[in-house]
Amino acid sequence: MGTFSYKKSNKLSKIAMLISSVLGLSAFSAVAAEVVDEKITVTGSRFDRTAEQQLTVINTIEREEIARLNPKSVADVLEILPGVSVSRNGGAGQSTSISLRGSNSNHVLVLVDGVKVGSATLGTVSFNTLSPENIERIEVLKGPRASVWGSDAIGGVIQIFTRQLKGGEWFAGAEYGNNDYIRGSFGAGLTHGEGSTTLSVNHEQSEGYDVYNGAEVENDDDGYKRSAISLKGSQQINSNWQALWNGQYDKGNTQYDDIYASGSADESDYENYLWNLATQYSRDQFISKLAVSQSRDHNENFRGDDASVPVSIFETKRNQVNWSNQYLAANELTFTGGIDWSNESVQGDYAQDERDLFGAYALVQKQWSKLLAEVAVRYDDVENIDSEVSYNASLAYQFNEQWRLAATTGTAFKAPTFNDLYWPGSGNPDLISETAESYDLTLNFTAKDVRAYISVFQNKIDNLIAWAPTGEKDDYGWDIWKPANINEAEIRGVELSANYQLFNLDHQLGYTYLDAENVQTGEQLVGRSENEFNYMLSYSWEQFDLLANYHYQGKRYAGNDEFFDATHKVDLSIGYQLDDAWSLRLKANNLFDEEIISAQNYFSPGREFFLSVSYQAF
């Protein structure tokens, strides 16, 4: 999990933190007003579920809220959620890591419209390549869900759904801001018989700023540009059969700093895509869906001012077949199950450059009056590595219309990447999968105008892959280091979320307390904040709307006995509706110009302003 340092906090302070969080949740029960809309999610089981049917913590962010946030990256959207921590190597176009509940960034499974994305060489996802303007909804599932989705879901699952419009609806927008930021976007919905298709296009670019503050590196602006096209549609063939399709294409360029001033690469081109074709059969209480998809992650690194520097190319291609089924039996009994197959291939001089992964899963959910139970089990076989059996068991009790208590336990795993196994000269083909076992206890409260929960969780991760000396020497007498399954970590925490209305204002707050430690040393893990807090306030009056967001991130260990200071960041968004279709929005990021460092010597942008105009026809 990286380098480790400062000692654990006093246990009494942890208990006090938990008690105060519980009291805070109880205080919200005194608030009352209009009804909160029901949320439908699919990530927990691959099929539509209401909040009452979910036994894991799932946060959702809808298109309307994304528009008011006016984010410059997907990380800007995710950061407002409790249990989600973001580390940036600069601004919107730079490398970004997302951690769920203190897990590693490569312990998060990321899906776009049900298709797994990311690099099989690095094991991570380039969030900086995804355009927020092409997103309809994001679902973030907390805790392991390998029993449904397979490898990578140790910390949780992030599923991104692309824009979807009805026939005849369309939108267009333009934006300008600091560092010569420019954005243009367009989308339209087309009706064809008993179906529709949405096309969304977005382009944005920025001259950027100098993201790295090292003493001997390039003192130049590090800009970026990215373009994205997404297509999403469905066609009702008859009363039982439906065809579905979606695709996304992302292309762009990112400039960064050669931090060692070695004359190596300082610029990167990427070209990623995915497509998915599916058919769904529905009859009475039975639904069956078969999907065939492909995703590619392609990246080229080079020296921007020296064409003689060779290009390094990293490419992952993933072919996938998914068959999912759901049957609603009598007496509130639901059966879900399916089969997943995928083939991952990489480009490069690897001893093995492709592998097959096979998984089969089954989930049963049963309701007895106020008691809801769920059991899920999955078998995965990863070629040339090992096989894993994962499970989830959950139980929830509905005390009354407002209060519900849910308990969950489960296991998860992360298969080694191609770099871990086969990187020329340093891979270790004897690696096994990282494994995890977790526990979660969540108290939910829902009233007329408030939805809140408090979740206490623990996640123990074994066989973590880290670099270690092999005991051998190279030709020059230096120790040979290779990846090995040597580390263990235990992560405990409290997560609190509340959405409520008070004094005609909408309030949304999230708080996470985290104790993430190295089991062997008792020291805290690098990059984790013990305390992280987000508060968002919004208000609408006639043609105006206002959104203010405050984010606090506590100090984090940075390695080498150094710490990143705690940071306070305030963003402000003001919208004005000119008429039914036209609107203006002014966005201020980091309003008080806070110096924010989330990775060593990498600075986030200072104060930024953006002005956008948009048109939406319904």
Side-chain angles (χ1 to χ4, degrees), residues 67 71 94 112 218 275:
Q94 303 297 316
V112 176
E218 310 162 23
W275 57 262

Side-chain angles (χ1 to χ4, degrees), residues 108-169:
V108 180
L109 175 64
V110 181
L111 308 164
V112 176
D113 290 323
V115 180
K116 181 179 178 178
V117 296
S119 170
T121 54
L122 296 175
T124 56
V125 174
S126 299
F127 286 96
N128 55 303
T129 67
L130 301 172
S131 171
E133 194 66 20
N134 282 15
I135 296 175
E136 181 71 26
R137 185 174 88 256
I138 300 177
E139 295 179 4
V140 180
L141 183 152
K142 313 293 182 56
R145 202 57 172 170
S147 59
V148 173
W149 291 103
S151 177
D152 299 1
I154 286 180
V157 181
I158 297 174
Q159 181 155 204
I160 298 170
F161 298 88
T162 53
R163 294 287 291 265
Q164 192 164 14
L165 302 172
K166 298 178 182 178
E169 294 182 346

Side-chain angles (χ1 to χ4, degrees), residues 264-275:
S264 59
D266 64 357
E267 198 164 333
S268 174
D269 286 341
Y270 67 85
E271 189 174 9
N272 306 332
Y273 70 77
L274 68 88
W275 57 262

Side-chain angles (χ1 to χ4, degrees), residues 47 241 279-282 286-290 323-326:
F47 291 93
W241 288 94
T279 181
Q280 181 169 296
Y281 175 82
S282 304
F286 178 68
I287 302 175
S288 182
K289 183 176 180 180
L290 179 65
W323 182 40
S324 304
N325 305 273
Q326 178 176 273

Side-chain angles (χ1 to χ4, degrees), residues 64-65 67-70 504-508 535-549 570-577 584-588 591:
E64 182 180 356
E65 187 173 354
R68 288 188 292 121
L69 283 168
N70 193 17
N504 293 321
L505 299 172
D506 292 320
H507 306 260
Q508 177 178 315
Y535 174 65
M536 188 162 63
L537 176 70
S538 59
Y539 176 73
S540 297
W541 177 72
E542 295 185 352
Q543 288 85 17
F544 286 93
D545 71 81
L546 170 69
L547 185 147
N549 190 73
V570 176
D571 299 333
L572 187 66
S573 177
I574 302 173
Y576 179 73
Q577 197 73 34
L584 296 173
R585 182 164 300 277
L586 176 64
K587 176 69 182 293
L591 185 62

Side-chain angles (χ1 to χ4, degrees), residues 232-251:
K232 188 171 188 177
S234 65
Q235 180 70 44
Q236 195 70 38
I237 300 172
N238 56 38
S239 59
N240 301 123
W241 288 94
Q242 185 183 30
L244 305 104
W245 55 87
N246 62 272
Q248 180 153 322
Y249 175 79
D250 301 288
K251 183 177 182 179

Side-chain angles (χ1 to χ4, degrees), residues 186-319:
F186 172 81
L190 173 67
T191 299
H192 37 77
E194 294 296 320
S196 64
T197 297
T198 300
L199 173 67
S200 300
V201 181
N202 184 73
H203 175 80
E204 53 192 299
Q205 62 185 53
S206 172
E207 292 299 320
Y209 64 100
D210 193 10
V211 300
Y212 191 78
N213 198 37
E216 298 181 0
V217 298
E218 310 162 23
N219 296 314
D220 61 348
D221 291 338
D222 302 303
Y224 70 92
K225 58 182 178 182
R226 61 190 177 203
S227 300
I229 301 174
S230 65
L231 186 73
K232 188 171 188 177
S234 65
Q235 180 70 44
Q236 195 70 38
I237 300 172
N238 56 38
S239 59
N240 301 123
W241 288 94
Q242 185 183 30
L244 305 104
W245 55 87
N246 62 272
Q248 180 153 322
Y249 175 79
D250 301 288
K251 183 177 182 179
N253 171 273
T254 298
Q255 298 170 349
Y256 51 93
D257 283 328
D258 169 18
I259 63 174
Y260 300 108
S262 61
S264 59
D266 64 357
E267 198 164 333
S268 174
D269 286 341
Y270 67 85
E271 189 174 9
N272 306 332
Y273 70 77
L274 68 88
W275 57 262
N276 181 56
L277 298 175
T279 181
Q280 181 169 296
Y281 175 82
S282 304
R283 183 171 181 178
D284 299 327
Q285 288 78 38
F286 178 68
I287 302 175
S288 182
K289 183 176 180 180
L290 179 65
V292 179
S293 59
Q294 184 182 88
S295 63
R296 186 187 77 159
D297 187 278
H298 179 90
N299 188 279
E300 298 183 8
N301 298 289
F302 56 94
R303 185 78 186 179
D305 57 3
D306 185 358
S308 66
V309 174
V311 174
S312 61
I313 300 176
F314 298 90
E315 179 174 302
T316 294
K317 187 173 287 185
R318 185 179 289 111
N319 298 309

Side-chain angles (χ1 to χ4, degrees), residues 370 397-405 444-446:
K370 295 184 177 182
Y397 184 78
Q398 190 80 38
F399 294 99
N400 52 42
E401 292 183 356
Q402 294 180 329
W403 294 95
R404 187 178 81 152
L405 183 66
N444 291 276
F445 177 80
T446 305

